[in-house]
Amino acid sequence: MDAKRATIKDVARAAGVGVATVSRVLSGGSASARTRERVLAVAAQLDYRPSALGRNLRQRRTGGIGLLVPDLTDSFFGRLAEGVLACARSAGEPVVVGSTGDDPEQEAELIGMLLEQSVDRLIAVPSGDADAWGPAVKAGMTVVFADRLPSEAPGEDDDSAATADLMLLDGLAPAPVARSADLPAVLADDRAGIRTAVRYLSGLGHRRIAFLGGPGHDRRVAAFREAVGSPVDEELVVFATGSRDSAYAAASGLFQSRPDLTAVLAAGNVLGEAAVLAARELDLRVPRDVSLVMYDDVPWAELCAPPLTVIAQPARDIGYRAAELVLRSGSRRPRGVVLPTELIVRGSCGPRR
Amino acid sequence: MDAKRATIKDVARAAGVGVATVSRVLSGGSASARTRERVLAVAAQLDYRPSALGRNLRQRRTGGIGLLVPDLTDSFFGRLAEGVLACARSAGEPVVVGSTGDDPEQEAELIGMLLEQSVDRLIAVPSGDADAWGPAVKAGMTVVFADRLPSEAPGEDDDSAATADLMLLDGLAPAPVARSADLPAVLADDRAGIRTAVRYLSGLGHRRIAFLGGPGHDRRVAAFREAVGSPVDEELVVFATGSRDSAYAAASGLFQSRPDLTAVLAAGNVLGEAAVLAARELDLRVPRDVSLVMYDDVPWAELCAPPLTVIAQPARDIGYRAAELVLRSGSRRPRGVVLPTELIVRGSCGPRR
DNA sequence: GGCATCCATGGAAACGATTCCATCATGGTT
DNA sequence: AACCATGATGGAATCGTTTCCATGGATGCC
């Protein structure tokens, strides 16, 4: 039989003090030097570790952080998660991770699960409506969004106003991000990033630039439309559903239906991968036949043939900052953070053929 | 003020029954049809969700699953984690994830944290000694290893015996994996996979094959030695520490110090990436100057120039099966599982120059 | 020297569930 | 008719912690 873990009572008895004193000593309350010393000695000797269960029940909250991402298989979310984990570790907080598959239904289910666990701090890459977050905030959760904001609820009144507002914030300065239920967020500066990419392609002479997006890329496509300026050819804007297969199908369909396009902006690394694959399959040479810019830098972009020109985002930092935000929410709470992106020119873009 | 969540007492009062009855109804105990119906109605109306906190305290365990991986940034562990998450979600269990950075110290710290949370089920890709898992099993945790087994503790008596034993299990049949503290594990069939790769390279005429490994690849390097047969040239076996930089340095150093090698077997996707990069940097052409096989298939392997020949592992399945194992541990417990690997020939290997 | 203050301390009440146990009603059997 | 078995039910204990409150001793100030 393995001895049960020592409880605070055991420590109290062994140290000849009351449980209240032990609790105080261990959580930094006031106690005489003599008692403190003895309690600590006994606790160390018994290898006592306070049970989070008891504590959490008493304080009616779980210290931990919830993290909801669409897909850990996507390198971007992997890096983001790693950032969250790093920050949480340094704070000694556990992180409960859920993968939503970009499905609002699963997301709602996971939110419910976190609620049941009394997890009161949540970092989320949202898939569902703004409405989906009602239950969470109503239950008193501290929510911080990362990478994206929830799309407008279908029935909301000032539909595009908030989004338009958001698009206005620019540059690197941490800017307030007022939005749905007024929740803070940590985002990459999609607007500047996309604009840079579009300008770069325009500068090379490209006029028919396609946009290849996935779920949750509405801010990016909005930025794309804005950067292009003139009303965009809607056939050149296509969306996949999130799976690799769907991304490939979308890319392939795009190339086939519009052989006149000369450049593609892929809004995420999975889409970029699909674009390269589809182009290769159709014997389109990059960059001779078609130029390609991928939003999000990944290690393999350099290994690709040709190496991919990308817009790099600080994925890990996004996670880290989000964790900081959700942990510091007690004191002054910065409203939101926008982190800079960077164009990294490699070999996948050339002048218009 | 947002109303506090309803407790079981609220439900009991509203339904005019005792708390015990409510608890029984909700957890499937016996109750008359009339009462059950009323309790369920009231619970639904109050939007009652039992608090995991209270339950866990009473039963002295957290339902959840702990998951410890070296690095979520590594695509392999991302896929593995996704598998665990998928299984856990279908069981409604939360997953607490920690990233150890392949550092035994951080690993021990995270184990301590999970212990404190009373997480009693753990899936781990171990970094530390067999000894590091003492505290966990002593505390009554159900531990399942994934992808690797902990290395032997330095002071252990029958040093290589267990490992040798393990190397003997072969093929696809789920086989008992008796080892340190007798813990179950879900592994890829590294031995067969490495052997296949080595034979494939041998068949192409290669004689000086290098092995590029990382932390936790001891079973793979052992399989490599065994597959090569004759005593291997120790200069051709190099290890990196886990970071991308270290992997690049190791690969680059290998190519420079032994220009006579004709093939490289990279034991993981990060190492494969580094090998491609280093080869390119040194103007070694793949596969003309050097052939390359990577252990672990990743989406970008196909995009690489040339596309990489790989040994694919069912990363997601490994995670999924591990989660099944750790959840089913109550009933009959299969001792361990070995999953098959597959050689996927693309374009990174050629005949010996 | 007396009184007010302050601090260390321990007992006990939460927190929200599960679960043991006693109670009571019911119905069937002898 | 008495008795027993069965099943539904509610009260109360329990899990391990934090925290409120009362107590008692010591110290400082007038």
Side-chain angles (χ1 to χ4, degrees), chain A residues 224-306:
Chain A
F224 175 75
R225 291 181 200 282
E226 185 198 347
V228 168
S230 50
V232 307
D233 182 342
E234 289 301 333
E235 263 187 24
L236 291 181
V237 177
V238 299
F239 273 83
T241 62
S243 71
R244 288 195 144 78
D245 286 349
S246 153
Y248 178 81
S252 186
L254 179 64
F255 285 132
Q256 286 178 279
S257 69
R258 291 299 298 265
D260 60 320
L261 64 81
T262 67
V264 173
L265 172 49
N269 71 69
V270 175
L271 297 154
E273 178 193 314
V276 175
L277 224 47
R280 186 167 307 174
E281 205 63 35
L282 295 169
D283 275 327
L284 293 170
R285 274 175 303 180
V286 177
R288 235 196 70 157
D289 299 332
V290 59
S291 289
L292 180 59
V293 175
M294 178 165 83
Y295 201 84
D296 190 28
D297 190 20
V298 292
W300 57 261
E302 214 168 336
L303 303 183
C304 203

Side-chain angles (χ1 to χ4, degrees), chain B residues 7-8 23 48 50-51 58:
Chain B
T7 76
I8 198 173
S23 173
Y48 168 71
S51 153
R58 174 62 220 245

Side-chain angles (χ1 to χ4, degrees), chain A residues 65 67 72 78-97 123 316 319-320 323, chain B residues 67 69 71-72 96-100 106 110 113:
Chain A
I65 301 176
L67 171 63
L72 275 183
R79 287 175 286 146
L80 189 151
E82 192 68 34
V84 172
L85 257 38
C87 182
R89 179 173 43 233
S90 70
E93 301 274 15
V95 180
V96 179
V97 180
I123 297 169
R316 198 192 152 90
Y320 199 95
Chain B
L67 172 62
V69 296
D71 176 15
L72 274 182
V96 180
V97 180
S99 163
T100 64
Q106 281 188 46
L110 285 166
M113 189 256 277

